[in-house]
């Protein structure tokens, strides 16, 4: 199968990566979203096969054993996230570039695996304090889960220099514009695939 390109957006939870990725999907027709698999339950309006592939922990571990993931992490205690190899192949078969909205460690795994085929973008929030405000304002997590997210976010901010690009999300409109330019240039320079 003909391999293509990957665009990886990673950030601590609440930095705005999901909003930026959704914006890019409406602006760049050559992109298609990579749907991650997870063992966590669906939140709110999330739909299996659109937002995530919601699978049991047992099935997830079975797929790990069969080497069906290109990357996976136990992001929070007992909660796994990962990218199925078949998901990337499905998108490449359409001749599209795969775009990821993925946690920081998963993003680093993908970049190491795909090297020059991948553009890894770290979305940096204005500050840890702003990130905490955003996460608290969501109202989707228990106080315990919020504390877990805050601790993880603080650690993840240290990964930023390992990414190809640090995209500062101090103003969402500006960040979306800069992201579109980055991705368009990357895809445009890689049409030989």
């Amino acid at each position: 199968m003909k391999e293509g390109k990957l665009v990886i957006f990673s950030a601590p939870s609440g930095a705005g990566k999901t909003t930026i990725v959704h914006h890019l999907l409406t602006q760049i027709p050559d992109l298609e979203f990579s749907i991650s698999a997870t063992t966590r339950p669906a939140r709110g309006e999330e739909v299996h096969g659109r937002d995530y592939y919601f699978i049991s922990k047992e099935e997830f571990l079975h797929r790990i054993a069969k080497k069906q993931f290109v990357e996976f992490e136990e992001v929070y205690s007992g909660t796994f996230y990962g990218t199925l190899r078949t998901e990337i192949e499905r998108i490449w078969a359409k001749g599209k570039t795969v775009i990821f909205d993925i946690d920081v460690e998963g993003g680093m795994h993908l970049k190491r695996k795909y090297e020059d085929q991948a553009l890894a973008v770290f979305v940096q929030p204005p500050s840890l304090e702003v990130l905490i405000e955003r996460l608290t304002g969501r109202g989707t997590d228990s106080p315990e889960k919020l504390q877990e997210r805050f601790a993880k976010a603080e650690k993840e901010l240290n990964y930023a220099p390992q990414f190809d690009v640090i995209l500062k999300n101090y103003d969402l409109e500006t960040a979306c514009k800069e992201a579109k330019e980055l991705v368009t240039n990357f895809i445009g320079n890689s049409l030989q695939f």
Side-chain angles (χ1 to χ4, degrees), residues 7-12 17 100-112 115 118-124 155-167 182:
V7 176
I8 303 159
F9 276 82
S10 294
K17 71 182 179 305
F100 293 87
D101 169 354
I102 191 168
D103 81 289
V104 172
E105 290 188 36
M108 291 308 308
H109 285 298
L110 286 168
K111 179 61 182 177
R112 281 193 294 272
E115 299 177 334
L119 171 67
V121 180
F122 185 92
V123 180
Q124 184 172 318
K155 186 178 106 183
E156 287 177 330
L157 288 169
N158 295 320
Y159 281 89
Q162 297 178 45
F163 283 75
D164 297 323
V165 179
I166 297 173
L167 178 67
L182 279 168

Side-chain angles (χ1 to χ4, degrees), residues 65-181:
K66 296 189 91 169
K67 301 195 182 318
Q68 294 179 358
F69 286 98
V70 293
E71 64 78 31
F72 67 90
E73 292 291 325
E74 186 174 7
V75 175
Y76 299 105
S77 181
T79 304
F80 289 84
Y81 289 82
T83 303
L84 291 162
R85 186 175 321 283
T86 54
E87 182 67 3
I88 293 173
E89 291 168 354
R90 176 185 72 78
I91 295 168
W92 281 349
K94 294 177 171 183
K96 295 197 172 213
T97 297
V98 185
I99 188 167
F100 293 87
D101 169 354
I102 191 168
D103 81 289
V104 172
E105 290 188 36
M108 291 308 308
H109 285 298
L110 286 168
K111 179 61 182 177
R112 281 193 294 272
K113 183 172 181 62
Y114 290 99
E115 299 177 334
D116 292 342
Q117 284 177 265
L119 171 67
V121 180
F122 185 92
V123 180
Q124 184 172 318
S127 67
L128 186 58
E129 291 72 31
V130 169
L131 201 64
I132 289 170
E133 282 176 29
R134 289 178 184 173
L135 289 171
T136 305
R138 283 181 179 177
T140 57
D141 293 310
S142 67
E144 298 78 25
K145 183 58 84 175
L146 281 172
Q147 287 306 315
E148 198 176 358
R149 286 189 187 280
F150 300 157
K152 184 171 173 41
E154 196 168 10
K155 186 178 106 183
E156 287 177 330
L157 288 169
N158 295 320
Y159 281 89
Q162 297 178 45
F163 283 75
D164 297 323
V165 179
I166 297 173
L167 178 67
K168 294 179 177 160
N169 185 13
Y170 299 175
D171 171 74
L172 186 60
E173 188 176 328
T174 302
C176 284
K177 184 179 173 189
E178 289 173 2
K180 182 179 179 186
E181 190 175 316

Side-chain angles (χ1 to χ4, degrees), residues 15-42:
K17 71 182 179 305
T18 301
T19 303
I20 292 169
V21 166
H22 285 300
H23 172 76
L24 293 173
L25 286 164
T26 67
Q27 299 292 307
I28 305 172
D30 289 337
L31 294 177
E32 185 160 335
F33 184 67
S34 171
I35 302 168
S36 296
T38 184
T39 59
R40 78 158 171 78

